[in-house]
Structure formats: structure tokens, C-alpha cells
Amino acid sequence: MKSTATLLITCPDAKGIVAAIADFLYQHDANILHADQHQDAENNLFLMRVEWDLATFNLDEAAFGQAFARIAAQFSMIWQLKLSLHKTRVAIMVSQYDHCLADLLHRHKSGELDCEIPLVISNHRDTEALVKFYGVDFHYLEVSKDNKPQAEAAQFKLFADYNIDLIVLARYMQILSPDFVARYPQRIINIHHSFLPAFIGARPYHRAFERGVKLIGATGHYVTEVLDEGPIIEQDIDRISHRDQVEDLIQKGRDLERSVLAKAVRWHIENRILLYANKTVIFD
Amino acid sequence: MKSTATLLITCPDAKGIVAAIADFLYQHDANILHADQHQDAENNLFLMRVEWDLATFNLDEAAFGQAFARIAAQFSMIWQLKLSLHKTRVAIMVSQYDHCLADLLHRHKSGELDCEIPLVISNHRDTEALVKFYGVDFHYLEVSKDNKPQAEAAQFKLFADYNIDLIVLARYMQILSPDFVARYPQRIINIHHSFLPAFIGARPYHRAFERGVKLIGATGHYVTEVLDEGPIIEQDIDRISHRDQVEDLIQKGRDLERSVLAKAVRWHIENRILLYANKTVIFD
Amino acid sequence: MKSTATLLITCPDAKGIVAAIADFLYQHDANILHADQHQDAENNLFLMRVEWDLATFNLDEAAFGQAFARIAAQFSMIWQLKLSLHKTRVAIMVSQYDHCLADLLHRHKSGELDCEIPLVISNHRDTEALVKFYGVDFHYLEVSKDNKPQAEAAQFKLFADYNIDLIVLARYMQILSPDFVARYPQRIINIHHSFLPAFIGARPYHRAFERGVKLIGATGHYVTEVLDEGPIIEQDIDRISHRDQVEDLIQKGRDLERSVLAKAVRWHIENRILLYANKTVIFD
Amino acid sequence: MKSTATLLITCPDAKGIVAAIADFLYQHDANILHADQHQDAENNLFLMRVEWDLATFNLDEAAFGQAFARIAAQFSMIWQLKLSLHKTRVAIMVSQYDHCLADLLHRHKSGELDCEIPLVISNHRDTEALVKFYGVDFHYLEVSKDNKPQAEAAQFKLFADYNIDLIVLARYMQILSPDFVARYPQRIINIHHSFLPAFIGARPYHRAFERGVKLIGATGHYVTEVLDEGPIIEQDIDRISHRDQVEDLIQKGRDLERSVLAKAVRWHIENRILLYANKTVIFD
């Protein structure tokens, strides 16, 4: 696989941005592999993702920062550079339902998720054998009403010990404290088992059944301080009928949760997501 | 086309119901074309739709009522019989957006909707030419804050004059009074431009855009006293991305609204819908 | 879970069939849980699936056969009775791609597939650890141009030893001999990685890429003597664009293959499939 | 609406292309509204669409050609410039089925299709009233085995008289001669009622029904000399079951045909389509 660099940029829209970036990359001999951009006219924003082959590029990471600083300053850019060599380190948190976990571990092993998954944390022991089968460290941490701060402190320590970049809540049935959420901005992805904003909160399949909807859904989103209100990364739905009971909704929903969460994680680790105005731009 | 009868039944579940009905139809020489049933275990309900060819059936409508009364009483059935000869008479109410109206009129002309559409009522004159092109009577009735009771009284009179069985709100942008809704139970179908229960109320596309959802939807439902809370008949969604502005959502939504409303109307006029517990069973 | 019986029936359409069956079940005190039927007017066929609770049913399997023989003869029925106690025994055949295998094993462990999976046969050793992790016997059988008859003989012996009812080809990259196919009619399910009948044969994703299609698909079907021409059980598609290279098609396709094959297997083991005229009726 | 210019470019991939184009537009004071590009690594091709506001742009059409010639030559570009002021002039050809025609005319009237539709040609009179209702000229031209060359000559004359840029076959049931196809390369769009390459040729719904597929589809494509083998612009599918007869497939298919054809036409008139290797790149 090629060694590449990916640059994500957000800035006020202005004439000459693309010319400046393209010219900069050309001057430093970059071979552009993919480039995609988006203008948000309403918010006067320019957003861009550009990925290039490092084989011929004549700047290293530090030199890039120095050289790019002038353009970044000129256009008031917020930017981040990510090298494909530096793989995102992912921790998965899970409770008892293991379908998303098993799916992520299998996709990772198959090479579909270009990241490292060194750590799984659970408040149950059910998934321990599965996690170990895939060669991943499993840490059991009991969480109760009484020990939540201590449990989260232990989680933070594990994230630090393992150099975790991204936390994936793969049907983790505990609500994170505001402190937890604030520590990892745009670095926690959750799967919610409804098409948000419908059925925010608990037991969405039961409520979908009671309401008599004809579609059920799942939503992958970043976690923010307000429950189920974070920026949506991906959603999908499946069709149901009167023949489907709650258990059927739950079963069909598992397939949605799996594929939606996997896409959200993949787009994050491939640096395809830009956030603004509580929304995501997905450069696919 | 065959002349057929359709029987819709709801009753408490019990042994022997299917045997009783099947035996009754067999005794009277019915040739069953379609039969579908549903058991709701939770509510202990039995629901059935059966359609048969009238060519060999040896009872007329009145005689059927008398003969079937014994079985209906035995199983405490709520039932309705509908003959294909008696076409549902549909009134369409519309404001300025004419995409659903044009779609319904064209489908009707093509023979896809086996009903009569003698009447369109609008609070705008925009659609008059289109309606008349399809040979349907167009009635303009101004509706304002001040004249709503009088306007509705005029609408009721038109429904009576035209022997209307079903009222279809094809993007009719006025809220019906509780009195209006109460007069036509399970006989008013509305198209809402979101996947309910998300974005109940006004301007759903704008709110969907602000929330940053990845899917937009439309919902066809019966109108009940609580806004957008009636039984859902059909829903569908389309995928959107950051490239879609509000106007794109509105445009994509029009296609959803058209097809969802057309299905809801078709299933109603073909007697495929049974209602219970604020839900629909669609015998497709 | 309830102990139930499922009856599948095919016969020439005639008046009185439903009455006869419903009456028979009522006489023997069956509590019908689900019943679904289909008339094929063109072929004058009647097809039915009925499932009932055995708790109150007053016939055992042998007695049922005797008692039902009269009705079956009267209407020239082909029928099969399946008791939920007798779980279908499934053998999975796989080569190197393990995504469908891992999916089936995980669904089975989660209770989603109500069958037994005692045996996996592969012509590669890649999946051995995964299979054993799920507690299933793994048999490696090399297959080459020279040893195919011997390899198939060994496979037949394993199927017999394990009392296998259903053979699932979960991306098994060897073509079965006509003798193999003839031995297990309607008992071999394959997943083909295209929306048949498009791209019959080898390398469908490559050919889809070359043709420039905008949708890729997967097809679960029964294996018959003619390659990829057997009765289709389930199909699904995903959308692709010019941004997708062959590898992206393959990756997206894996998700389709998994879910389509799982549905096909589930419907088979739940006795929801009736075959006629090289087509399937799925009683869902 | 803004007055904009759209530039479509195809050329061998090379370093510096984006920089050169972006710099050129910047030098001439263009305010870029949308830009999208695609690299085809396998064919070493670079493809780009860029749209800018003409309000501040300091070149007119002729001057653009002169000024851009140097860059175009340097990178061996094939390019086309399209101004939003010059609306594509569309002729629709139709036989008896009018659903696609009615859909296109209604979308055009609603402002969804930013083109002109001055001409409809048909070999039947069925759609004449509809066409005239929308204020479009209708020309009846009988086509038979004997008069095909003369009929096509009359069609060519109409295309010339009306300055037609794009010919849309909206369920036109006549096969065009090779001469016809050769005269309008990449300027004839057809809707085929199957998911190509399945069911090429006649009666696809009947053949889909016989094969027992679980999905039906429609394909919008450019017409080339080989029947149904032209570059695919858009495809979509709908789910069917054993309950659907051929007439149901045809009815469901009409909805697919309408929406797929409308998208294909819209993308063409908005200059979103680039062709290469018998494929389309859709810059959406």
C-alpha cells in the first residue's frame, strides 16, 4: 500500500484557496491521489480533503507544518495533516450485545479497517473470549451507580496507557459523564439504534414498534454533551411490516447497527469527516 | 376485470376462525383469489383480508350480511365488505405545490388507481388548469383565519354533494379543525414530508437540514385529532449528503411524497388496510 | 420457545382447499400461529404455509401423516411437515474468503439461526481457527483437478456422518459436479456475488466494474445443474459510483453477500420457502 | 439564479493540472461554486468539473477559449465549456406509454429541469393532448418497416429546425438506425426497463418474472450503436415478491423508469456527466 498524507482544511470561503493549495502541493512535488472540496454558501465556509502520495513529496511532517503555515494564515485555515503510516488507535467499549464488536473485529482482521484495535473495555465478561480470539486486550471494568467516577478514571488511564485516538461505543449501555465526553471531543463514536432524531433515548425499537413505523433505522454519530444530539455521520434504514414483532425489529436492527457503525468508524480513521455547525461533511 | 368482493375482519383471536370463514365461503361457492391474515399475539387479535371472485358466488350484498351475521357474532367480529363494482370516490385537497396532485391524477388516468376522482378542492387557483385537463371538477375555496368554519362547511357540503368516501390531503397546507377530522374517521389520508415521528410539524426539510441527517423521508398516514400522530400507512426515505442544500432536500422529497402518497391511497381504495392500536396492517 | 409444527403445501388450485385444511387443524385442536397462502393464477397452483402451536395439538407426527392423507389425496397435494424440535443440520463449505462464514457462525451463536451447524468443510486451512473458536468441527479436504471425485466422495461421507440436511456454499470457490448437485436437490444454497442474471459466472465484480454499472448485487439461490441458474431466494444491491474501484466493489459486496446469504439460510431452516417453476415463494 | 459557467475536462493524469486550472480561474477572478475531480489510476486519466459564478469573471466565451488554449494544450485536455444562459434544448420521443413523458413535462414546468423542451415526436397520437397542455409542440410521425429512413429524415429535420441538443427516448419503442445513433453521439438518452446488463432487449419485465428475480430495475443510458450497451448514467431497483404478477412488475417499474430517466436527463443538462471507457463519471 502507498504511503500517503491526508490534509483536511476548513476556512472562510475566498477566491484563490484552491489555487494556493494546489500550487503549494505542486511546488513540493506531490502526486495528488484524491481531492474533494465543499462550499457551504450559507455559512461562507470552504472545506477540503486532499490526499497525496508521499513517494515523491519533498517535505516531512515537521517541514510541512512550517511551509504550509503561510497559506494557512493567509486564509485563516483550521487544518490537520494525517499520515497513513500513523494508524489510528481505537478502543472499543461494549456491554453484552456483541454483534457490533464481532463485526468490527472481523472487518479489522480482514484488512477493511486500516487502524489498530489494541483495547476493548466492557462492563460485562460476555465478550472476553471473542476479543481474545482476535488477539485484542480485554479489560473488564464494573460500572455501577456508585463507582462511575472511579470506573471512568480507570477507563481514562487505559486510554492513556494504550495511546488511544478514537473511542467506539459498540452498543455500550452506559451513559458517559460530561467530563468523559469533554475529554475526547470528536473522538467518541456511538451507534444509536434509531434514525435520529426519531426515538432519542432508551428502547427505540420498542417505541418504534408502538408507533407503528414502517421503517427502522440506525445512526452513527459523534458523542457530544447532549444525549443523541451529536453530529450524525451515517444513517441507514430497513423496511418492516406488521408481521415484525419487537424481536424482529431488534434482529433487523442489528444488521443496520453493524454496517452503519463500521462505515462511521472507517470514514473517521480514513480522515474523511469534517465537522461544522453540528454536521458532518463526508468526503467519500 | 373480474368483479370481486373483499372482506376485512378484526376480532379476538380464537381457534376455528379461519375454518369458519373458509367453510362459509366454500359453502357459498366463492372462488378465493387472495387471502391473508395476521395474528397479533400481544393484543390477542386476529385480522384477515380475503378477496374472492363474484362470478360463482351465490349471495348478493344484502344476503351476505344476513348469512355472515352468525359467524360474525360467534367470534365478535368487526367486518366490512367491499365490492369492486363500488369504486371509492376520492376528493383531493391541495394548496400550491402540485406534484402529488399531478401524480395522483396521472396514475388515475393510467388505470393504476381503481377509484373515482370527481373533485379537487384548493385554497389557491394554481392547479385549476391541471385539474380541468384531467376532466375533474375544481372548486376554489379561500381559507383564512377568519372564515375557517365557513370554509369547512363549504367543504363538507362538497363532500356530500359528490358522495366522497376518501379525502386525500396532497400537500394541503391548512390544518383541519377537530370537527373536520372527527367527521371522517379513517377517511382522511395526509402526506407528511418527513419520516415520522422525526420532524413533526412545520418545515421538516429545513429542520432536517439543520440537524444534518443523512436521510430524508416522507410519511403517508391517516389524519387523527393529534397533528402527525395518526396511524402510519407508508414511509420511504432517500439518501442525502452535505452537497444537498435545503432546496435539494425539497426536490428529492417531492419524489418521496409522490410515491408514498400514491401507495397509501392505492392500498386504501383496494381495501388492504386494517387499523388497530393506532397502527396499520397492510395486506399487500 | 414454543414447540411448533410447520406444514408446506403445493397443489392444483381448487375451491375448498383452505376450508379443508383449516377445518382439519381445528378438529385436531391446533392453535394456528401463522398462515400464509399464495395462488398462482397462471399456473393454477395453490401454495400454503401454516404454522401452529403443538401444545394443544392432538396428533403426533406419524398420526398426522395418516390423518392428513385423505385431504392430501383429495387435492393432490405435495406436502411436508416440519417440527421445530427437529433442527435442520447445516454444513458450511468455504474456501479462503471467510466473511460469510464468520457471519453465519456469529448469527448462529447469537440465536438468530435456529439450526445446528456441526460441520465446516474447506479446501483451505485459513478458516480453521475461526471455526474451532465457535466449537464447530472443521474438515480440510484438498480439491484439485485430479482428485475431485475422491474429494466429493469424502464430502458425501461427512454429510452422511453428520446427518446433514442443508449444505451452504459460503463463498466456496469450487464448482460442484452434476452428481453432487443431483444428490441434494433443493438442499444446497449458494451465494453469488452479482444480481443474477447479470454477470453469471466468474469475476462478477470485475465485470460489473468494466460495464460501469451503478449498482452491484448479490444473489442467494438454490444450486441446480446449470451454473447460477437455480431458483433465486434473495437478492440485494448497493449503490456504487465512479469513485469506487474494483476493490471497493468487492468490499461493499461482502456486506451484501453476508446479509443475503444469512436471509436465504434463515428462510430455508424456518421452512419459509416453496419452490415451483424454478422460482421461490418466500412466506415471510 | 446566478449566471454560471461549467467546465468539463478530461486529460491524461499529471502533476500540476489542478494548480494550473485553479490558478487560471483565480487570475481571471472566478468565484468557484463547485469543483469536483476524479482520477482513474488504471487508465491514468484525470477528469474534472468546475463551476463558477460569471458575475466577476473577466472573460467572455470567446476570450475564455483563447486564454485557456495554452493550458489545454499543455495537458492535452479535451474540454467543453457550458454557460448556464445557454439552456439545453431537449426533444422527447415517445410511443404510447406516457408516464415518463408526463413526468418530464411536469418536472420541467416545476422548474426542476433547467432546460427547454420545445418538441415531442411520437409515432402515436395518444400523448398529443398532454403535450399540448404543457405548451410543447407535438409532431406525429408514423414509423413502419417500410418508411423508416423517411421517418428518420423527417425527425432529423425537426431536430435541426428546433435546434435540438439532446434527444430523450421516453419509452420510445422503435429501434434507431445506426445512422441516427451516429449523428448524435452522447446526445441520446434512453430508459431501459431492467437493471442492465440483465435482460437486454425486449420484454424485460416478462423475462424478470419468468426468472423469478427478487428485484426489478431500470437503467438510464446513452444510446450507442450496440443495443442496450451504451454508457450507464443511472440505475435503480425496487423489491418484488411472489405476490407480484407481471402487471405489478410493470406498474412498479414505471416509477423506477420515471425517476431514473429524470435523473439522467437532469445530470446531462447540468453538465454533470463525463464519459470515458464506455462509463460515466457523474459529478453530483
Side-chain angles (χ1 to χ4, degrees):
Chain A
M1 255 170 100
K2 281 175 180 163
S3 178
T4 69
T6 303
L7 179 64
L8 288 174
I9 294 170
T10 313
C11 65
D13 199 9
K15 283 181 195 164
I17 301 176
V18 176
I21 297 167
D23 193 58
F24 174 86
L25 291 172
Y26 180 58
Q27 295 303 330
H28 294 287
D29 229 13
N31 193 9
I32 296 175
L33 300 172
H34 301 285
D36 200 358
Q37 64 195 71
H38 178 61
Q39 274 100 338
D40 186 297
E42 203 181 336
N43 295 291
N44 192 42
L45 272 179
F46 174 88
L47 307 105
M48 186 176 196
R49 179 185 189 272
V50 55
E51 183 176 2
W52 64 92
D53 193 337
L54 286 174
T56 59
F57 196 57
N58 61 26
L59 296 174
D60 65 14
E61 196 167 2
F64 177 90
Q66 285 192 304
F68 194 66
R70 194 185 53 76
I71 293 173
Q74 181 188 346
F75 292 102
S76 306
M77 290 175 177
I78 300 168
W79 62 274
Q80 44 180 307
L81 185 76
K82 178 89 189 308
L83 305 187
S84 62
L85 284 173
H86 298 185
K87 303 226 178 290
T88 304
R89 292 176 64 81
V90 177
I92 301 174
M93 299 184 77
V94 67
S95 294
Q96 288 176 289
Y97 301 125
D98 70 350
H99 53 284
C100 287
L101 175 70
D103 183 72
L104 290 171
L105 292 173
H106 186 265
R107 286 183 198 266
H108 180 251
K109 178 162 169 283
S110 306
E112 199 175 301
L113 296 175
D114 188 25
C115 63
E116 291 173 11
I117 306 182
L119 171 65
V120 171
I121 298 176
S122 182
N123 57 333
H124 293 272
R125 293 210 175 273
D126 307 56
T127 63
E128 184 164 4
L130 178 75
V131 171
K132 288 184 171 167
F133 172 73
Y134 281 102
V136 176
D137 288 0
F138 177 88
H139 287 264
Y140 168 72
L141 283 175
E142 200 190 354
V143 182
S144 66
K145 266 180 299 182
D146 302 327
N147 80 339
K148 191 152 184 172
Q150 296 90 317
E152 290 199 341
Q155 291 161 5
F156 299 157
K157 183 165 186 316
L158 283 169
F159 297 147
D161 290 350
Y162 281 87
N163 286 311
I164 294 304
D165 300 305
L166 175 69
I167 298 158
V168 176
L169 308 182
R171 298 299 310 273
Y172 181 64
M173 311 304 274
Q174 297 285 328
I175 293 178
L176 308 182
S177 73
D179 175 41
F180 190 129
V181 174
R183 274 170 185 255
Y184 305 98
Q186 306 180 13
R187 290 167 63 194
I188 311 172
I189 293 177
N190 182 47
I191 181 73
H192 184 76
H193 38 314
S194 80
F195 49 89
L196 291 175
F199 308 120
I200 288 176
R203 296 169 65 80
Y205 291 130
H206 291 78
R207 288 151 64 207
F209 180 75
E210 279 156 29
R211 180 62 185 92
V213 294
K214 300 297 185 186
L215 307 171
I216 56 165
T219 305
H221 65 95
Y222 286 111
V223 176
T224 54
E225 65 277 15
V226 188
L227 185 69
D228 300 336
E229 296 275 2
I232 293 170
I233 306 171
E234 172 66 345
Q235 301 187 287
D236 204 0
I237 61 95
D238 199 3
R239 192 161 282 278
I240 58 169
S241 79
H242 60 273
R243 283 183 285 267
D244 291 299
Q245 300 302 304
V246 172
E247 310 82 63
D248 302 305
L249 270 58
I250 291 170
Q251 178 182 300
K252 289 187 168 183
R254 281 198 297 259
D255 278 26
L256 292 173
E257 296 163 27
R258 269 194 284 233
S259 66
V260 166
L261 181 58
K263 279 182 187 163
V265 169
R266 188 152 58 83
W267 291 336
H268 181 97
I269 64 179
E270 294 179 356
N271 305 293
R272 298 187 177 281
I273 309 178
L274 263 177
L275 276 169
Y276 75 98
N278 204 40
K279 292 187 198 182
T280 61
V281 170
I282 310 292
F283 291 116
D284 58 347
Chain B
M1 255 169 102
K2 281 174 181 165
S3 178
T4 68
T6 304
L7 179 64
L8 288 173
I9 294 170
T10 312
C11 64
D13 200 9
K15 283 181 195 166
I17 301 175
V18 176
I21 297 167
D23 194 57
F24 174 86
L25 291 173
Y26 181 57
Q27 296 302 330
H28 293 286
D29 228 12
N31 192 10
I32 296 176
L33 300 172
H34 301 285
D36 200 357
Q37 64 194 72
H38 177 61
Q39 274 100 337
D40 186 296
E42 203 179 338
N43 295 292
N44 192 42
L45 272 179
F46 174 88
L47 307 104
M48 187 176 195
R49 178 185 189 272
V50 56
E51 184 175 2
W52 64 92
D53 193 337
L54 286 175
T56 58
F57 196 58
N58 61 26
L59 296 175
D60 65 14
E61 197 167 0
F64 176 90
Q66 286 192 304
F68 194 66
R70 194 186 51 77
I71 294 174
Q74 180 188 346
F75 292 101
S76 306
M77 291 176 177
I78 300 168
W79 63 273
Q80 44 180 306
L81 184 77
K82 179 90 189 310
L83 305 188
S84 62
L85 284 174
H86 298 184
K87 302 228 180 289
T88 303
R89 292 176 63 83
V90 177
I92 301 176
M93 299 184 78
V94 67
S95 294
Q96 288 176 289
Y97 301 126
D98 69 351
H99 52 285
C100 287
L101 174 70
D103 183 72
L104 290 171
L105 292 174
H106 186 266
R107 287 183 199 267
H108 179 252
K109 178 161 167 284
S110 306
E112 199 174 302
L113 296 175
D114 188 24
C115 62
E116 291 173 11
I117 307 184
L119 171 65
V120 170
I121 299 175
S122 182
N123 56 334
H124 293 272
R125 293 208 175 272
D126 306 58
T127 62
E128 183 164 5
L130 178 74
V131 171
K132 288 184 172 168
F133 172 71
Y134 281 103
V136 176
D137 287 1
F138 177 89
H139 287 264
Y140 168 73
L141 285 176
E142 199 190 354
V143 182
S144 66
K145 266 181 300 184
D146 302 327
N147 80 339
K148 192 153 183 171
Q150 296 89 319
E152 292 199 340
Q155 291 161 4
F156 300 156
K157 181 163 189 316
L158 283 169
F159 298 147
D161 289 350
Y162 282 87
N163 286 311
I164 295 302
D165 300 305
L166 175 70
I167 299 159
V168 176
L169 308 181
R171 299 300 309 273
Y172 181 64
M173 310 306 274
Q174 298 285 328
I175 293 178
L176 307 182
S177 73
D179 175 41
F180 191 128
V181 174
R183 276 169 184 256
Y184 305 98
Q186 306 181 13
R187 289 168 62 195
I188 311 172
I189 293 178
N190 182 46
I191 182 71
H192 184 76
H193 37 315
S194 79
F195 49 90
L196 291 176
F199 308 121
I200 287 175
R203 294 169 66 80
Y205 292 129
H206 291 79
R207 288 151 64 208
F209 180 75
E210 280 156 30
R211 180 60 186 94
V213 295
K214 301 298 184 184
L215 307 171
I216 56 165
T219 304
H221 64 96
Y222 286 111
V223 176
T224 55
E225 66 277 15
V226 187
L227 186 67
D228 299 336
E229 297 274 1
I232 294 171
I233 305 171
E234 172 65 344
Q235 302 186 286
D236 203 0
I237 59 96
D238 199 3
R239 190 161 283 277
I240 58 169
S241 80
H242 59 273
R243 284 183 285 267
D244 291 299
Q245 300 302 302
V246 172
E247 310 82 63
D248 302 305
L249 270 58
I250 291 171
Q251 178 182 300
K252 289 186 169 184
R254 282 198 294 259
D255 279 25
L256 292 173
E257 296 162 28
R258 271 193 282 231
S259 66
V260 167
L261 181 58
K263 280 182 187 163
V265 170
R266 189 153 57 83
W267 292 335
H268 180 97
I269 62 179
E270 294 179 358
N271 305 294
R272 298 186 177 281
I273 310 179
L274 263 177
L275 277 168
Y276 76 99
N278 204 40
K279 293 187 198 183
T280 60
V281 170
I282 310 292
F283 291 115
D284 57 347
Chain C
M1 257 170 97
K2 282 175 180 162
S3 178
T4 68
T6 304
L7 179 64
L8 288 174
I9 294 170
T10 312
C11 64
D13 199 10
K15 282 182 197 166
I17 301 176
V18 176
I21 297 168
D23 193 58
F24 174 86
L25 291 172
Y26 180 57
Q27 296 303 331
H28 293 286
D29 227 13
N31 192 10
I32 296 176
L33 300 171
H34 301 285
D36 200 357
Q37 63 195 72
H38 178 60
Q39 274 100 336
D40 187 297
E42 203 180 338
N43 295 291
N44 192 41
L45 271 179
F46 174 88
L47 306 105
M48 187 177 196
R49 179 186 189 271
V50 55
E51 184 176 1
W52 64 91
D53 193 338
L54 287 174
T56 57
F57 196 57
N58 60 26
L59 296 174
D60 66 14
E61 196 168 359
F64 177 91
Q66 285 193 304
F68 194 67
R70 193 186 52 77
I71 294 173
Q74 180 188 348
F75 292 101
S76 307
M77 291 176 177
I78 300 168
W79 62 273
Q80 44 180 308
L81 185 76
K82 179 89 189 308
L83 305 187
S84 63
L85 284 173
H86 298 184
K87 304 226 178 289
T88 303
R89 291 176 63 82
V90 178
I92 301 175
M93 300 186 75
V94 66
S95 293
Q96 289 177 287
Y97 301 125
D98 69 351
H99 52 285
C100 286
L101 174 70
D103 183 72
L104 290 171
L105 292 174
H106 185 266
R107 286 183 199 267
H108 180 251
K109 178 162 167 283
S110 306
E112 200 174 299
L113 295 175
D114 188 25
C115 63
E116 291 173 11
I117 306 183
L119 171 65
V120 171
I121 299 175
S122 182
N123 57 334
H124 293 272
R125 293 210 176 273
D126 306 57
T127 62
E128 183 163 7
L130 178 75
V131 171
K132 289 185 171 165
F133 171 73
Y134 282 102
V136 176
D137 287 1
F138 177 89
H139 286 265
Y140 168 73
L141 284 176
E142 200 191 352
V143 182
S144 66
K145 267 180 300 183
D146 303 326
N147 80 339
K148 192 153 183 169
Q150 297 89 318
E152 291 199 340
Q155 291 160 3
F156 301 155
K157 182 164 189 316
L158 283 169
F159 297 147
D161 290 349
Y162 282 87
N163 286 312
I164 295 302
D165 300 305
L166 175 70
I167 298 158
V168 176
L169 309 182
R171 299 298 310 272
Y172 181 65
M173 311 304 274
Q174 298 285 328
I175 292 178
L176 307 181
S177 74
D179 175 41
F180 191 129
V181 174
R183 275 169 184 255
Y184 305 98
Q186 305 181 13
R187 288 167 63 194
I188 311 172
I189 293 177
N190 182 47
I191 181 72
H192 184 76
H193 37 315
S194 80
F195 48 89
L196 290 175
F199 308 122
I200 287 175
R203 295 169 66 80
Y205 292 130
H206 290 79
R207 287 151 63 207
F209 180 76
E210 279 157 29
R211 179 61 186 93
V213 294
K214 301 297 184 185
L215 307 171
I216 56 164
T219 305
H221 65 96
Y222 285 111
V223 176
T224 55
E225 66 277 17
V226 187
L227 185 67
D228 300 334
E229 297 275 0
I232 293 171
I233 305 171
E234 172 64 346
Q235 301 187 286
D236 203 0
I237 60 96
D238 199 3
R239 192 162 281 278
I240 59 169
S241 79
H242 60 272
R243 283 183 286 268
D244 291 298
Q245 300 303 303
V246 172
E247 310 83 63
D248 302 305
L249 270 58
I250 291 171
Q251 178 182 299
K252 289 186 170 185
R254 282 198 295 259
D255 279 26
L256 292 173
E257 296 163 27
R258 270 193 282 233
S259 65
V260 167
L261 181 58
K263 280 182 187 164
V265 170
R266 188 152 58 82
W267 291 335
H268 181 97
I269 63 179
E270 295 179 355
N271 304 296
R272 298 186 177 281
I273 309 178
L274 263 177
L275 278 167
Y276 75 98
N278 204 41
K279 293 187 198 184
T280 60
V281 170
I282 310 292
F283 291 114
D284 58 346
Chain D
M1 258 171 97
K2 281 175 180 163
S3 178
T4 69
T6 304
L7 180 64
L8 287 174
I9 294 170
T10 312
C11 65
D13 200 9
K15 283 181 196 165
I17 301 176
V18 176
I21 296 167
D23 193 58
F24 174 86
L25 291 172
Y26 181 57
Q27 296 303 329
H28 293 287
D29 228 14
N31 193 10
I32 296 175
L33 299 172
H34 301 284
D36 200 357
Q37 63 194 74
H38 178 60
Q39 274 99 336
D40 186 296
E42 203 180 337
N43 296 293
N44 192 41
L45 272 179
F46 173 88
L47 307 106
M48 187 176 195
R49 178 185 189 272
V50 56
E51 184 176 3
W52 64 91
D53 193 336
L54 286 174
T56 58
F57 195 57
N58 60 27
L59 296 174
D60 66 13
E61 197 168 359
F64 176 90
Q66 285 193 304
F68 194 66
R70 194 185 53 76
I71 293 173
Q74 181 188 345
F75 293 102
S76 307
M77 291 175 176
I78 300 168
W79 63 273
Q80 44 180 307
L81 184 76
K82 178 89 189 309
L83 305 188
S84 62
L85 284 174
H86 299 184
K87 304 226 178 290
T88 304
R89 291 176 64 81
V90 178
I92 301 175
M93 299 185 76
V94 67
S95 294
Q96 289 176 288
Y97 301 126
D98 68 352
H99 52 285
C100 287
L101 174 70
D103 183 72
L104 290 171
L105 292 173
H106 185 265
R107 287 183 198 267
H108 180 252
K109 178 163 168 282
S110 307
E112 200 174 299
L113 295 175
D114 188 25
C115 62
E116 291 172 10
I117 307 183
L119 172 64
V120 171
I121 298 175
S122 182
N123 57 335
H124 293 271
R125 293 210 175 272
D126 307 56
T127 63
E128 184 164 5
L130 179 74
V131 171
K132 289 185 171 166
F133 171 72
Y134 281 103
V136 176
D137 288 1
F138 177 88
H139 287 264
Y140 168 72
L141 284 176
E142 199 191 354
V143 182
S144 66
K145 267 180 299 183
D146 303 327
N147 80 340
K148 191 154 183 170
Q150 296 90 317
E152 292 199 340
Q155 292 161 3
F156 301 156
K157 182 163 187 317
L158 283 170
F159 298 147
D161 290 349
Y162 282 87
N163 285 310
I164 294 303
D165 301 304
L166 175 70
I167 298 157
V168 175
L169 308 182
R171 301 298 311 273
Y172 182 65
M173 311 304 274
Q174 297 286 328
I175 293 178
L176 308 181
S177 73
D179 175 40
F180 191 129
V181 175
R183 275 171 183 254
Y184 305 98
Q186 305 180 14
R187 289 168 63 194
I188 311 172
I189 293 177
N190 183 46
I191 181 73
H192 184 77
H193 37 315
S194 80
F195 49 90
L196 291 175
F199 308 120
I200 288 175
R203 294 170 65 82
Y205 292 130
H206 291 78
R207 287 150 63 207
F209 180 75
E210 278 156 30
R211 179 62 186 90
V213 294
K214 301 298 184 184
L215 307 170
I216 56 164
T219 304
H221 65 96
Y222 285 111
V223 176
T224 55
E225 66 277 15
V226 188
L227 185 67
D228 299 336
E229 295 276 0
I232 293 171
I233 305 171
E234 172 65 345
Q235 301 186 288
D236 204 0
I237 59 96
D238 199 3
R239 191 162 282 278
I240 58 168
S241 80
H242 60 272
R243 283 184 285 267
D244 291 300
Q245 300 302 303
V246 171
E247 310 82 63
D248 302 304
L249 271 58
I250 291 171
Q251 178 182 299
K252 289 186 169 184
R254 281 198 296 258
D255 279 25
L256 293 172
E257 295 162 29
R258 269 194 284 232
S259 65
V260 167
L261 182 58
K263 280 181 186 163
V265 170
R266 188 153 57 82
W267 292 336
H268 180 96
I269 63 179
E270 295 179 356
N271 305 294
R272 298 185 177 283
I273 309 178
L274 263 176
L275 277 168
Y276 75 99
N278 205 40
K279 293 188 200 185
T280 60
V281 170
I282 310 292
F283 291 115
D284 59 346

